[in-house]
């Protein structure tokens, strides 16, 4: 699943039809776009609870963490996503997450 492709559409107010298990993720992105950070992060948390083994769910929450200035939250989610990408054999996803971790850490 490519969750990241939904974020720009949702932030622009578009109607997006998604599978029920990613509904919280999409609603969270919409709430974040409407400046409801508390509601957005609650939805992201619910989405992660439902899809804990999907690294791209963490990557969507990373975007919100970065925009809101929460560097530690972004790092934690990048690290979790990197671990999941590695476990699932997605080397490109793993390298992407590791590169972003290095950028945030100033390495």
């Amino acid at each position: 699943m490519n969750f990241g492709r939904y974020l720009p559409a949702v932030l622009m107010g578009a109607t997006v039809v998604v599978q029920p298990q990613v509904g919280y993720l999409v609603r969270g992105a919409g709430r974040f776009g409407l400046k409801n950070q508390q509601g957005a992060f609650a939805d992201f948390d619910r989405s992660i609870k439902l899809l804990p083994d999907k690294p791209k769910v963490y990557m969507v929450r990373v975007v919100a963490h970065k925009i809101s200035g929460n560097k530690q939250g972004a790092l934690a989610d990048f690290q979790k996503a990197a671990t999941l990408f590695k476990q699932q054999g997605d080397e490109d996803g793993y390298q992407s997450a590791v590169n972003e971790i290095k950028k945030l850490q100033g390495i």
Side-chain angles (χ1 to χ4, degrees):
M1 286 182 196
N2 184 359
F3 300 115
R5 71 177 179 205
Y6 298 122
L7 189 59
V10 172
L11 292 177
M12 294 175 62
T15 301
V16 179
V17 178
V18 297
Q19 298 169 337
Q21 63 266 37
V22 296
Y24 285 117
L25 184 69
V26 173
R27 187 174 75 177
R31 285 179 167 181
F32 193 81
L34 294 171
K35 310 287 190 230
N36 178 356
Q37 288 189 9
Q38 184 177 0
F41 281 104
D43 282 344
F44 294 147
D45 294 345
R46 286 184 195 112
S47 185
I48 286 171
K49 213 175 225 184
L50 293 170
L51 299 166
D53 62 336
K54 301 293 185 191
K56 292 181 180 180
V57 175
Y58 292 89
M59 297 296 281
V60 170
R61 191 169 69 175
V62 162
V63 173
H65 280 310
K66 287 176 71 175
I67 291 170
S68 64
N70 182 357
K71 181 179 175 180
Q72 291 306 314
L75 279 171
D77 281 349
F78 270 136
Q79 290 166 340
K80 180 63 176 179
T83 299
L84 291 170
F85 280 130
K86 186 75 165 176
Q87 289 173 351
Q88 296 170 14
D90 183 342
E91 191 60 33
D92 290 338
Y94 172 74
Q95 284 302 319
S96 176
V98 167
N99 290 340
E100 292 298 324
I101 290 167
K102 289 178 181 179
K103 284 181 193 175
L104 279 176
Q105 292 176 331
I107 298 174

